[in-house]
Amino acid sequence: MSGPEIRRVGVVGLGAMGAGIAQLAIEAGYETVGREVSGELGAKARDRIAHFLQRKVDKEQMSADEREAALASLFLTTELADFADCDLVIEAIVEDLQAKLELFAALEGIVRPDAILATNTSALSVTEISAAVSTPERVIGMHFFNPAPLMPLVEIVRAELSTDETVEAAFAVGARLGKRPIRCHDTPGFVVNRVLIPLLNDCIRILDEARVTPQDLDTAMTAGAGWPMGPCALVDLVGIDVHVHASEALYEKLREPRMAPPPRIVAMKHAGLLGRKSGRGFFTYD
Ligand SMILES: NC(=O)c1ccc[n+]([C@@H]2O[C@H](COP(=O)([O-])OP(=O)(O)OC[C@H]3O[C@@H](n4cnc5c(N)ncnc54)[C@H](O)[C@@H]3O)[C@@H](O)[C@H]2O)c1
């Protein structure tokens, strides 16, 4: 299968990730269709995107005309049928396998047979999602990092039946979005989370084992290992609940003890100490 030239991009779900991906797409000059479950949520996403682009204008990273042109290329909808002319659709809805399977099955009936279907899932199997359609060769993972407009990496995740053309087309889109794409296969955690989640869990366990404070552990890893940010500050930024969820998902698949969330962080989650977003995690925030 040789893929189409990608000119029109669809983004399903305009939450934290989808809005960022849609922003990248319009900045890169793609006609972009964004779908939310309600017009109100779509409008909220557009406002967020408009706000971030205005900040870029203020910082002289783009002109006011470029901002207007980018925003004009974003078409919001609540109808899946509006993806009919998209060459690539990137799914960024809730992290729920059933919801994604239903969406992919519905999309297959709408988009052209050669359109690429991508998922931004963090922890589900791209191959399992691809089984929702009769043409799994055009399904791929495009795993962006949060916040998508700022984090340079996108993992291009090859599912069991993805073709080379699909992989390369998604890779090229990642590059045009200004990202640094890498290619990998569909294994639990892909690359970054497979490395980072057990490492962060080790860090959390070491808090108790070495009786080191979060502040000192962060100093140890920034000053001694050259990390740009300490592990406790990082988990606070990601969200304690998000980290626990990702750890549980990896543990469920790999059954390696290091993947399991340490009891200390599970207790923090239950106590509502979710990190930056709740004002308190390992550290307190204003
Ligand atoms: N947040 C992260 O750090 C992060 C990083 C990488 C990947 N991801 C993955 O990206 C996906 C989205 O995560 P998020 O953090 O943006 O979630 P989110 O809850 O912020 O956004 C999801 C959005 O999808 C919308 N939605 C749900 N079903 C829909 C449908 N059928 N059609 C259109 N819109 C629909 C919801 O209204 C919501 O606005 C998940 O698969 C997640 O695992 C998240």
Side-chain angles (χ1 to χ4, degrees):
M1 186 180 88
S2 106
E5 189 200 339
I6 310 285
R7 285 181 299 108
R8 197 170 166 88
V9 172
V11 182
V12 198
L14 299 173
M17 294 306 294
I21 295 166
Q23 179 186 327
L24 288 167
I26 58 174
E27 282 189 75
Y30 289 112
E31 293 166 26
T32 304
V33 181
R35 188 220 187 191
E36 254 299 341
V37 289
S38 71
E40 198 187 9
L41 283 173
K44 268 193 186 156
R46 183 202 291 275
D47 287 350
R48 274 205 316 283
I49 294 171
H51 169 75
F52 287 127
L53 293 184
Q54 184 57 45
R55 284 193 7 201
K56 292 187 90 166
V57 173
D58 295 344
K59 289 187 205 157
E60 297 184 1
Q61 292 168 346
M62 79 189 313
S63 71
D65 285 350
E66 284 167 343
R67 174 180 180 270
E68 287 314 310
L71 287 172
S73 60
L74 177 60
F75 174 76
L76 293 177
T77 184
T78 55
E79 302 296 327
L80 274 189
D82 288 324
F83 289 121
D85 291 334
C86 287
D87 308 300
L88 163 69
V89 178
I90 304 174
E91 169 276 309
I93 69 169
V94 282
E95 186 76 332
D96 177 87
L97 179 62
Q98 200 51 41
K100 290 187 195 282
L101 291 175
E102 282 167 22
L103 175 67
F104 273 69
L107 279 173
E108 183 174 37
I110 287 165
V111 300
R112 283 195 321 270
D114 61 346
I116 293 174
L117 299 176
T119 173
N120 183 46
T121 183
S122 304
L124 299 172
S125 156
V126 181
T127 303
E128 213 170 334
I129 294 169
S130 76
V133 300
S134 63
T135 48
E137 57 272 20
R138 42 114 154 227
V139 175
I140 187 88
M142 290 183 78
H143 184 221
F144 291 84
F145 289 74
N146 192 15
L150 300 181
M151 292 293 281
L153 183 67
V154 57
E155 293 172 333
I156 305 299
V157 183
R158 175 191 279 272
E160 212 51 40
L161 298 172
S162 311
T163 58
D164 291 346
E165 287 79 8
T166 301
V167 173
E168 295 315 315
F171 188 95
V173 170
R176 182 161 154 199
L177 296 180
K179 300 290 123 184
R180 292 175 64 183
I182 63 150
R183 302 173 187 83
C184 62
H185 279 252
D186 179 31
T187 52
F190 312 138
V191 175
V192 169
N193 285 343
R194 172 69 180 80
V195 173
L196 203 53
I197 298 247
L199 194 52
L200 289 173
N201 284 337
D202 282 348
C203 288
I204 295 161
R205 289 187 185 98
I206 284 157
L207 286 173
D208 297 322
E209 286 169 20
R211 280 169 278 173
V212 58
T213 63
Q215 185 66 60
D216 279 355
L217 176 61
D218 278 14
T219 301
M221 298 311 290
T222 51
W227 285 26
M229 181 185 273
C232 297
L234 178 58
V235 176
D236 272 358
L237 182 66
V238 167
I240 303 292
D241 51 339
V242 172
H243 178 78
V244 168
H245 183 264
S247 298
E248 283 169 345
L250 267 186
Y251 180 66
E252 204 175 292
K253 290 193 167 136
L254 297 170
R255 294 284 157 195
E256 285 182 31
R258 290 179 66 230
M259 306 294 172
R264 176 178 178 140
I265 198 171
V266 175
M268 287 171 73
K269 182 189 117 171
H270 290 148
L273 306 178
L274 304 183
R276 272 184 186 272
K277 64 183 161 194
S278 72
R280 194 173 149 203
F282 289 106
F283 303 111
T284 43
Y285 303 88
D286 294 332

